[in-house]
Amino acid sequence: MTSSSSPSQDTKRLAHAYPEGLRADALMEEDVAWSHEIDGERDGDQFDRSERAALRRVVGLSTELEDVTEVEYRQLRLERVVLVGVWTTGTAQDADNSLAELAALAETAGALVLDGVIQRRDKPDAATYIGSGKAAELRDIVIETGADTVICDGELSPGQLIQLEDVVKVKVIDRTALILDIFAQHAKSREGKAQVALAQMQYMLPRLRGWGQSLSRQMGGGRGGLATRGPGETKIETDRRRIREKMAKMRREIADMKTGREIKRQERRRNKVPSVAIAGYTNAGKSSLLNRLTGAGVLVENALFATLDPTVRRAETPSGRLYTLADTVGFVRHLPHHLVEAFRSTMEEVGDSDLILHVVDGSHPNPEEQLAAVREVIRDVGATGVPEIVVINKADAADPLTLQRLLRVEKRSIAVSARTGRGIAELLALIDDELPRPSVEVEALVPYTHGKLVARAHTEGEVISEEHTAEGTLLKARVHEELAADLAPYAPVSAA
């Protein structure tokens, strides 16, 4: 781990060697003389002035020189980043977990995480996010590690972004920009690329900056030449106008794509095919579960937001009922509002479904926080009325006590492992029970010349019994009202 020559004596450096690869899983260790037996009865966590104001180094997020050498051997051009977080609420463990997740996001985007620090504050500084003094300390850390980018664990205002860059003298980005960059790398479909582009332009618009001649004014007024009057608009104003025009065009294109997907949904509704949506935190195993249930062959990778474009596949319950299974984009805490708006049409798959499979990573240190973050986004897209099954994935790697706690708290839940297949049969049976059932029970003697009605009863309804007689197929089934009306003329005389 690199050594520090920070100018502030209250900056705390913890020098513990962690194995390579555990950078994103690093946790903070308190280096204070505190005894639970002696101090446990005090009123909550106590912080002295230096502890409250200090930048805390997050252990395991720094990189030894040999790690950099290995990167050079692989001939990769990675951005070298330092992470900065502001701890305002919750415990120190929560703050460390949040920064560890930011490290995983940075690595997914292709960056090399060199170091990470956390600032304890009541609220982020309005000017430089962490305060002018700590920004100067951050500048020393950037020089020491040789970083070329600082990533902040929060969304910075345009003013904070500019002023922090002026101090640290390297590029500064926030959590939102990082997630947008990951989405831009992983979007493959035309709609996914358009949604990412729209979100990026929404984020970029208030943060446009100009240097030197880019702030000069164009010719304005009159008909040109000597007749010009007024200074005209600046280059930055021209850029903003062009971005607004592009955003309007992009929204029209996304609306057209939404129409095509809505037509497909209407076709499924017309055929009375129930739909199930898989939602959950990023890297919880949604794509692995989709592959296990349907054999869809979707990309599976141990990375955040590995799959971005939604996938819809046809599936069948153990009793033979057909339904569609849709894999949606992964969620993350503090999901930028730009993404929620841009991906609203994609997330409507969740709102229009008959059942939500809410996948949570059972091996995560805090699965309850993942559940809360996903449910917040589900509320944003108006899908709170859809029935939900909590699928606790990665049960083979989870702590048994954590599994028991989740199964006890979440009444409609089941533990599975998409990797080993544990609990998949029970999940399929649970989906069969939870899917909406046809409301009308009918009995009909269908002539063999009208076999299509029998086939519709199998695909659109639920067949209770079926018997082949000399006159035709004696069918007893639960079906929807439309099919019940078509079967009514063939009701047996005894049942009429």
Side-chain angles (χ1 to χ4, degrees):
M1 185 169 181
T2 56
S3 62
S4 173
S5 57
S6 173
S8 174
Q9 294 182 358
D10 60 16
T11 301
K12 214 164 36 161
R13 305 286 307 262
L14 301 180
H16 294 273
Y18 273 74
E20 182 183 359
L22 295 184
R23 191 177 305 112
D25 298 322
L27 299 177
M28 184 65 206
E29 296 179 6
E30 293 291 348
D31 188 20
V32 293
W34 189 89
S35 169
H36 180 75
E37 292 77 15
I38 299 174
D39 302 324
E41 299 302 322
R42 296 184 180 178
D43 297 333
D45 295 332
Q46 303 296 314
F47 300 97
D48 57 28
R49 291 179 62 86
S50 61
E51 174 71 14
R52 198 162 52 236
L55 283 175
R56 302 191 311 109
R57 302 300 288 270
V58 178
V59 178
L61 294 182
S62 63
T63 303
E64 299 289 351
L65 182 61
E66 52 265 26
D67 295 335
V68 181
T69 305
E70 291 176 5
V71 172
E72 292 173 350
Y73 285 156
R74 294 200 302 268
Q75 295 182 344
L76 295 177
R77 177 64 182 94
L78 296 179
E79 291 202 48
R80 299 156 56 83
V81 303
V82 171
L83 310 181
V84 181
V86 172
W87 169 24
T88 57
T89 59
T91 64
Q93 184 69 50
D94 294 335
D96 294 336
N97 288 340
S98 181
L99 206 68
E101 182 178 89
L102 186 69
L105 286 168
E107 291 173 351
T108 300
L112 180 65
V113 179
L114 300 177
D115 213 340
V117 293
I118 291 177
Q119 165 74 13
R120 171 72 178 182
R121 302 178 62 93
D122 293 333
K123 62 180 180 180
D125 181 66
T128 59
Y129 186 64
I130 56 175
S132 58
K134 300 308 171 187
E137 292 183 35
L138 178 62
R139 169 63 179 161
D140 293 335
I141 296 173
V142 168
I143 294 174
E144 172 194 334
T145 57
D148 53 27
T149 305
V150 169
I151 304 179
C152 297
D153 191 16
E155 184 165 342
L156 272 62
S157 69
Q160 288 173 323
L161 204 63
I162 294 171
Q163 294 190 53
L164 189 56
E165 275 190 355
D166 288 342
V167 176
V168 298
K169 306 301 182 185
V170 296
K171 181 172 66 175
V172 176
I173 63 174
D174 57 17
R175 184 187 182 93
T176 300
L178 179 62
I179 294 175
L180 285 171
D181 183 74
I182 296 172
F183 274 42
Q185 292 181 43
H186 292 175
K188 297 294 186 292
S189 69
R190 177 168 168 259
E191 183 174 14
K193 291 178 180 179
Q195 290 171 329
V196 171
L198 175 61
Q200 286 179 320
M201 285 187 286
Q202 287 175 322
Y203 174 80
M204 187 193 315
L205 185 60
R207 292 170 174 82
L208 282 180
R209 284 176 282 172
W211 292 269
Q213 293 300 315
S214 63
L215 287 175
S216 62
R217 293 187 178 273
Q218 299 180 353
M219 303 276 271
R223 298 174 179 269
L226 294 176
T228 59
R229 291 186 180 86
E233 63 182 353
T234 62
K235 176 67 164 58
I236 196 169
E237 290 168 344
T238 305
D239 291 341
R240 284 175 180 154
R241 176 166 49 80
R242 288 175 176 170
I243 286 180
R244 290 190 186 99
E245 291 172 354
K246 288 182 180 179
M247 287 170 60
K249 180 181 177 182
M250 203 68 69
R251 287 192 180 99
R252 289 193 296 269
E253 291 180 359
I254 292 174
D256 292 340
M257 299 176 203
K258 178 183 176 181
T259 302
R261 192 170 52 253
E262 182 62 29
I263 291 174
K264 294 178 182 178
R265 286 202 200 106
Q266 290 175 356
E267 185 68 16
R268 293 200 295 267
R269 292 192 198 105
R270 189 177 66 83
N271 293 326
K272 305 296 190 267
V273 179
S275 61
V276 178
I278 301 178
Y281 212 78
T282 180
N283 208 32
K286 299 183 300 300
S287 297
S288 299
L289 184 64
L290 178 70
N291 290 343
R292 174 66 70 170
L293 294 175
T294 66
V298 176
L299 169 69
V300 173
E301 186 178 354
N302 185 24
L304 304 185
F305 300 115
T307 52
L308 183 61
D309 300 313
T311 304
V312 180
R313 289 292 183 269
R314 182 174 174 173
E316 187 175 332
T317 66
S319 63
R321 301 171 63 197
L322 295 177
Y323 66 97
T324 59
L325 198 59
D327 182 17
T328 60
V329 62
F331 302 149
V332 70
R333 58 184 156 186
H334 312 309
L335 188 68
H337 291 292
H338 309 296
L339 288 179
V340 175
E341 288 299 319
F343 281 80
R344 184 172 294 275
S345 57
T346 301
M347 294 175 180
E348 284 174 358
E349 292 287 350
V350 177
D352 288 342
S353 63
D354 297 297
L355 180 65
I356 296 175
L357 296 185
H358 185 164
V359 184
V360 61
D361 182 359
S363 63
H364 190 269
N366 194 349
E368 289 87 356
E369 189 173 309
Q370 289 192 351
L371 287 167
V374 174
R375 282 169 176 159
E376 182 179 351
V377 180
I378 289 176
R379 281 196 303 271
D380 290 341
V381 298
T384 53
V386 182
E388 175 192 69
I389 297 176
V390 175
V391 181
I392 308 167
N393 194 23
K394 305 183 184 181
D396 55 322
D399 179 14
L401 294 178
T402 301
L403 287 180
Q404 292 176 14
R405 185 178 74 246
L406 288 173
L407 291 171
R408 183 176 65 254
V409 173
E410 299 293 338
K411 302 304 180 186
R412 295 155 58 90
S413 60
I414 184 172
V416 304
S417 171
R419 186 177 67 86
T420 64
R422 167 186 167 183
I424 296 299
E426 292 82 355
L427 176 60
L428 286 170
L430 188 57
I431 292 173
D432 199 356
D433 293 337
E434 294 292 335
L435 282 177
R437 296 184 176 276
S439 54
V440 183
E441 185 171 325
V442 298
E443 186 174 354
L445 184 60
V446 184
Y448 291 119
T449 55
H450 291 75
K452 287 184 178 180
L453 291 175
V454 178
R456 283 181 59 191
H458 280 277
T459 56
E460 300 176 16
E462 183 178 354
V463 176
I464 300 173
S465 64
E466 184 179 14
E467 181 183 351
H468 299 287
T469 66
E471 294 80 12
T473 303
L474 183 60
L475 187 69
K476 190 174 183 181
R478 292 190 185 91
V479 296
H480 298 285
E481 293 179 358
E482 183 181 345
L483 182 55
D486 294 339
L487 289 171
Y490 306 104
V493 176
S494 59

